[in-house]
Amino acid sequence: MKVNGIPTRTIWSVDHGQAIGIIDQTKLPFEFKKETLRDWRQVREAIATMKVRGAPLIGIAAAWAMVLAIRDNAQDDLIHEVRSELIATRPTAVNLQWAVDHLVKKVMPLPAKDRLPVAYREAEEMTQANVLANRAIGTHGAKIIAELYAKKREPVNILTHCNAGWLATVDYGTALSAVYIAFEQGIPLHVWVDETRPREQGLLTAWELAGVGIPHTVIADNAGGHLMQHREVDAVIVGADRITAIGDVANKVGTYLKALAAKDMDVPFYVAAPSSTIDWTIQDGKHGIEIENRSGDELRFIRGLDKKGHLADIRLMDAQTNVENPAFDVTPARLVTGIITERGVCAPEFLTRLFPEGARKHARS
Ligand SMILES: CSC[C@H]1O[C@H](OP(=O)(O)O)[C@H](O)[C@@H]1O
């Protein structure tokens, strides 16, 4: 994609894998700041602090962290240590473990001296594959929006939660890829954007949509149900961090509540994700997916601009206030209308038909 002629890429190799370029998403939407990371520990920190975020993107970033680590030391013990540390940064998104393990599996059979070029090639291929997958997801998802428009012949109102746009992937995004492609096709649409407490990823979504001129309205997370009750939402489209073999979906906390309201009001609820987000080894999302608990300070403070226009963390409650900050929740498959993948759209119960290789992996697990 391009925004105002500038390519929308969230991560890039520098000097043929000697360093990695990223956008520091903790500064957006107020400041667009790029960073160059030269050591795998810097990438790990960027993932942990959400400078880079979004299930597909943290997977790709972790793959590039492995390249930087292998550049410095390609020995078995170092590779296993770095793998463990990267996977531990953010446990819910399966993309991170999938990408790291995919790369490790390719390099470990090789002599240490031959590992770096293969690691670099794998990271490059995963990066490009994510772009192609997201574009395909958008093409399939845009058809859903087109069908909604054909029925109502008025602008289609899509509600989305968190940020599943190009910022959450290498490019295009997942949920927003469908919006971008439908908009490119001239389908009139509008997006309700959940602000998504506490990290306010909805402001990233608003920033993305504003960049391409897509009509959108930011709402409080708790307003979505009301809008659905008043028939202001034609479909919900969200991203995902981990999808089980039967279609249970882990996504940003609050997604489950949107799905409940959608079910109650018969609003179609779609989940858009590449197949690298599907974890074929688990069936029951409620008990099988580790939910990342993040620092309580993410609730006690909110990031914005102070009176002088400087980026600041404003305290909302005192340090003694108890808070609980689960970063994700699990939406059961029964609440999901369809899952939009690079291979097409299907109801949760048909995921194994769309991905027979996944069904075989699930049967072995
Ligand atoms: C392309 S889906 C991205 C997915 O990841 C986000 O989580 P976070 O911002 O904490 O990395 C959110 O769950 C999105 O739906």
Side-chain angles (χ1 to χ4, degrees):
M1 265 179 71
K2 283 186 188 261
V3 174
N4 302 323
I6 300 165
T8 53
R9 287 299 291 259
T10 54
I11 192 165
W12 54 94
S13 168
V14 175
D15 302 337
H16 200 71
Q18 290 304 308
I20 304 300
I22 64 158
I23 298 168
D24 179 352
Q25 298 191 31
T26 62
K27 300 276 192 294
L28 286 173
F30 308 106
E31 192 183 329
F32 184 85
K33 182 169 176 280
K34 291 180 177 180
E35 267 192 38
T36 300
L37 310 178
R38 301 191 180 281
D39 180 276
W40 74 268
R41 297 168 188 81
Q42 289 177 302
V43 184
R44 179 192 56 191
E45 190 60 19
I47 293 169
T49 58
M50 296 174 66
K51 282 185 177 180
V52 289
R53 44 144 301 279
L57 180 55
I58 63 178
I60 299 298
W64 283 108
M66 288 303 301
V67 173
L68 298 182
I70 291 169
R71 175 203 62 196
D72 296 342
N73 178 337
Q75 300 307 314
D76 292 14
D77 55 347
L78 186 281
I79 290 175
H80 289 307
E81 179 203 326
V82 173
R83 173 191 175 278
S84 303
E85 291 207 31
L86 288 170
I87 287 171
T89 49
R90 299 197 71 194
T92 304
V94 70
N95 314 64
L96 195 157
Q97 178 162 349
W98 179 89
V100 169
D101 283 346
H102 178 85
L103 187 143
V104 168
K105 261 189 288 212
K106 295 282 187 179
V107 302
M108 289 314 280
L110 304 171
K113 68 177 178 59
D114 298 336
R115 289 173 172 173
L116 181 58
V118 172
Y120 177 83
R121 184 196 67 204
E122 288 303 317
E124 276 284 351
E125 286 180 3
M126 281 190 261
T127 302
Q128 188 49 29
N130 181 250
V131 177
L132 296 176
N134 298 336
R135 181 97 177 115
I137 288 167
T139 302
H140 295 306
K143 288 178 190 152
I144 293 169
I145 300 173
E147 284 161 11
L148 289 166
Y149 177 64
K151 281 185 195 146
K152 74 180 286 197
R153 305 307 293 175
E154 287 175 22
V156 178
N157 289 307
I158 304 290
L159 184 144
T160 193
H161 189 68
C162 196
N163 171 257
W166 62 265
L167 285 169
T169 67
V170 176
D171 199 349
Y172 287 104
T174 57
L176 291 193
S177 184
V179 169
Y180 290 135
I181 291 177
F183 186 71
E184 272 174 17
Q185 292 168 351
I187 297 169
L189 55 84
H190 163 267
V191 182
W192 295 112
V193 178
D194 276 358
E195 63 170 328
T196 314
R197 284 278 296 148
R199 290 297 298 258
E200 305 287 309
Q201 288 94 329
L203 303 186
L204 303 179
T205 296
W207 181 78
E208 283 194 33
L209 296 173
V212 289
I214 292 178
H216 60 281
T217 307
V218 175
I219 56 173
D221 295 321
N222 296 326
H226 165 76
L227 291 168
M228 289 187 228
Q229 282 178 324
H230 291 268
R231 298 285 172 218
E232 298 283 352
V233 179
D234 299 305
V236 178
I237 308 180
V238 297
D241 291 80
R242 192 182 295 240
I243 300 172
T244 73
I246 63 166
D248 287 353
V249 175
N251 194 49
K252 185 52 53 198
V253 67
T255 302
Y256 170 50
L257 296 176
K258 291 295 141 33
L260 284 172
K263 190 72 175 179
D264 186 55
M265 291 309 298
D266 202 20
V267 172
F269 185 91
Y270 289 98
V271 176
S275 52
S276 56
T277 304
I278 303 172
D279 182 349
W280 297 106
T281 66
I282 52 172
Q283 182 144 316
D284 170 8
K286 197 169 172 183
H287 303 101
I289 298 176
E290 183 181 347
I291 298 298
E292 177 187 1
N293 269 294
R294 293 187 64 88
S295 162
D297 278 354
E298 290 189 349
L299 273 158
R300 294 192 188 92
F301 292 85
I302 194 162
R303 177 157 292 186
L305 296 183
D306 65 17
K307 291 191 178 72
K308 293 189 181 121
H310 300 143
L311 205 52
D313 290 329
I314 309 298
R315 180 179 283 280
L316 298 179
M317 39 185 125
D318 65 41
Q320 285 68 41
T321 305
N322 279 337
V323 294
E324 182 74 14
N325 185 19
F328 301 96
D329 59 22
V330 175
T331 298
R334 62 182 168 80
L335 298 178
V336 177
T337 307
I339 297 175
I340 308 168
T341 76
E342 66 270 33
R343 233 178 248 181
V345 186
C346 71
E349 60 268 29
F350 297 125
L351 262 182
T352 49
R353 273 194 211 168
L354 201 54
F355 294 94
E357 72 280 20
R360 288 191 292 274
K361 189 171 180 182
H362 181 53
R364 291 194 302 270
S365 62

